[in-house]
Amino acid sequence: MFLKRLVIKAELLIRFCGFVCVLLFASFACANKIDSSGTVKLYSDVPVGKIGEVTLTIDIASAHTAGNTAKPALVIIHGGAWRRGSKESKRKSIEGYASKGFVGAALMYRFAPDYTFPAQVEDVKAAIRFLKANAATYGIDPNRIIVLGTSAGAHLAAMLAVTGNNDPFATHGLWESENASIFAAVLLAGPLAEFEHPSYRNNQSLAMFLGAKPSDAPELAVAAMPITYVDETDSPMFIAHGDADTVVNVQASRVFASALAKEQVKYEYRELAGAGHAIAKTHPDIYKQALRFIKQLIAEANKKQGVK
């Protein structure tokens, strides 16, 4: 009898502990979703607008609460040769940035070959205009929007940095009251120039993006290159590229950085010896270097404006 009672008490204790653990796990899981106490909330698949049959969406991670000071936004544009990839793959990253004093966001864009240039540029610009129009909702400082891209995402981020609200890339009719200028950009292993380079001669991804081989449509290729639009009004940029990149030749970033220097655009260039295309994976410290660059820019801008 005594042994039976002991077993019953043990079972009750195990059930109680299990119940407590469930409660603790549930409260922890919810902590990343509720913003009432300043913790991170993820807004998934927020509609930006519809273009034809495609609804553009964006994911936003924010720790904003009513009365808080607006924060800089760090927007990720995924890579994937302009024809694959997803914003969903960046959700953990944007939640991480949201916990470090930014509002994180990851956007989508239409893919080649179904949609060719300039569709992708127009899509990312629409997303920036959306963030500015809805800045108060998500606690964003609309004058402190930073864009980070790798590979094809770096190309699109660069286009944002060098074209501002260039009218040819604003044909959507979405959020027209806002402009698509950004505060700064981080460009990792991006095709920023030299589309006529021999390494692109038979590049299927570039041909799909343009709708033709660069050699067959040279004017179109020039229009799609960020270097074409470089001038003294461009946003500051952090650029990194591996000198052993066999996907996007490092010469693209070298030439682009030289063009920025000529126009006296603020930039920082890091060339990684022996690194290939996936520098974000092989050299994760590059993100720390980029964030230092961004935070310094923000500090300088705040000082200039008398913001503490």
Side-chain angles (χ1 to χ4, degrees), residues 187-303:
L187 318 173
L188 306 180
L192 311 176
E194 302 255 302
F195 282 4
E196 71 281 2
H197 193 276
S199 63
Y200 289 127
R201 189 166 295 152
N202 297 308
N203 189 297
Q204 187 180 23
S205 296
L206 182 57
M208 286 183 175
F209 170 59
L210 295 175
K213 289 184 177 180
S215 57
D216 294 336
E219 291 184 0
L220 183 64
V222 169
M225 291 190 296
I227 196 171
T228 300
Y229 306 93
V230 170
D231 63 34
E232 69 279 2
T233 66
D234 294 342
S235 306
M237 286 168 256
F238 179 94
I239 308 161
H241 213 127
D243 67 2
D245 191 335
T246 58
V247 178
V248 178
N249 194 286
V250 68
Q251 189 65 12
S253 287
R254 289 172 179 167
V255 171
F256 186 75
S258 294
L260 295 181
K262 185 178 180 180
E263 295 294 333
Q264 298 185 329
V265 177
K266 189 161 190 173
Y267 76 96
E268 192 170 306
Y269 178 58
R270 292 283 181 268
E271 190 166 306
L272 307 176
H277 190 58
I279 58 173
K281 292 182 180 179
T282 60
H283 294 72
D285 278 356
I286 203 66
Y287 285 112
K288 292 181 181 179
Q289 295 178 42
L291 280 176
R292 279 197 294 269
F293 176 77
I294 294 301
K295 288 180 179 179
Q296 181 62 35
L297 289 176
I298 292 172
E300 291 172 358
N302 288 347
K303 184 177 181 181

Side-chain angles (χ1 to χ4, degrees), residues 48-51 56 126 129-130 171-178:
V48 170
K50 193 170 184 178
I51 304 155
L56 298 176
R129 294 196 299 272
F130 168 84
T171 61
H172 279 158
L174 299 175
W175 309 101
E176 289 181 314
S177 63
E178 303 294 338

Side-chain angles (χ1 to χ4, degrees), residues 7-61:
V7 169
I8 291 172
K9 288 181 179 179
E11 289 177 346
L12 289 173
L13 180 61
I14 290 170
R15 288 177 185 176
F16 175 76
C17 290
F19 177 70
V20 170
C21 288
V22 168
L23 286 179
L24 289 172
F25 177 81
S27 63
F28 176 79
C30 289
N32 279 338
K33 302 299 177 185
I34 301 172
D35 69 344
S36 59
S37 61
T39 52
V40 175
K41 180 174 181 178
L42 177 65
Y43 302 85
S44 304
D45 302 317
V46 180
V48 170
K50 193 170 184 178
I51 304 155
E53 297 301 313
V54 179
T55 299
L56 298 176
T57 60
I58 190 169
D59 292 345
I60 302 169

Side-chain angles (χ1 to χ4, degrees), residues 66-87:
N68 280 5
T69 302
K71 300 175 182 178
L74 205 160
V75 184
I76 300 177
I77 306 178
H78 68 80
W82 302 285
R83 56 194 176 99
R84 58 178 175 266
S86 72
K87 63 178 176 56

Side-chain angles (χ1 to χ4, degrees), residues 125-150:
K125 282 180 169 286
I128 298 301
R129 294 196 299 272
F130 168 84
L131 289 175
K132 289 188 175 184
N134 295 276
T137 300
Y138 301 105
I140 296 170
D141 180 345
N143 298 312
R144 302 284 189 274
I145 295 180
I146 302 102
V147 180
L148 182 156
T150 58

